[in-house]
Amino acid sequence: CQLHCTCQHGALCENVHGHCNCSSVSGYTGTFCELACTPGQHGFDCQASCSCKNSATCRADDGSCVCMQGYQGTDCGLDIDECQEPTHVCHTHAQCRNVHGSYDCRCTAGYTGNGTYCQALDCGDPGAAPHAVYHGGIFSYPYSVIYSC
């Protein structure tokens, strides 16, 4: 007696002990290879576990990892230092700081902004310091004066 198999996803059907057995397809399971592997599993009949890191997607057919932005390597376990890449968007007057899976930009001292755009601080005219002595068009101070803004 010959059973009629209806395997899916290009799997081959074999009549084994009166049952259909789907083979030669990876990434699926079920009587007719109709069920995709659950996340974290791959291979024939979804028997192998994935080793992807940092929220990478595991390909159910071969277990290879598709890395999220900011990561690389076969298991996506290596953080990319975007500050060393020419593609970061930090302003000339900002410091690039690598963080896990990404980077951030911070304006350097004397500048303000969001890091991708920085402008010099405008402190305005400090005017005369208290207790200044005005003589001949020049302010003089009997002590040291430091302005900051």
Side-chain angles (χ1 to χ4, degrees):
C1 160
Q2 189 88 2
L3 291 177
H4 179 67
C5 295
T6 316
C7 289
Q8 298 178 21
H9 305 287
L12 300 175
C13 292
E14 300 171 6
N15 187 350
V16 178
H17 305 296
H19 302 284
C20 291
N21 180 19
C22 296
S23 62
S24 74
V25 66
S26 198
Y28 295 94
T29 189
T31 305
F32 303 106
C33 297
E34 75 278 13
L35 304 172
C37 293
T38 58
Q41 300 300 119
H42 72 93
F44 175 71
D45 206 26
C46 304
Q47 293 297 310
S49 295
C50 297
S51 62
C52 302
K53 298 176 181 171
N54 297 310
S55 302
T57 302
C58 176
R59 290 180 40 127
D61 59 347
D62 62 6
S64 63
C65 302
V66 179
C67 301
M68 298 287 285
Q69 185 174 346
Y71 297 98
Q72 63 186 357
T74 56
D75 66 353
C76 302
L78 299 173
D79 176 56
I80 296 172
D81 185 351
E82 292 86 356
C83 295
Q84 300 301 317
E85 303 290 321
T87 55
H88 77 76
V89 294
C90 295
H91 189 266
T92 304
H93 296 291
Q95 181 180 18
C96 184
R97 185 174 65 105
N98 188 52
V99 296
H100 199 56
S102 189
Y103 68 99
D104 66 21
C105 306
R106 296 184 183 184
C107 296
T108 56
Y111 292 86
T112 185
N114 64 8
T116 58
Y117 175 76
C118 299
Q119 65 183 20
L121 288 172
D122 181 9
C123 297
D125 180 10
H131 309 293
V133 178
Y134 184 76
H135 180 66
I138 300 173
F139 284 104
S140 62
Y141 307 95
Y143 50 85
S144 178
V145 177
I146 299 173
Y147 291 100
S148 64
C149 58

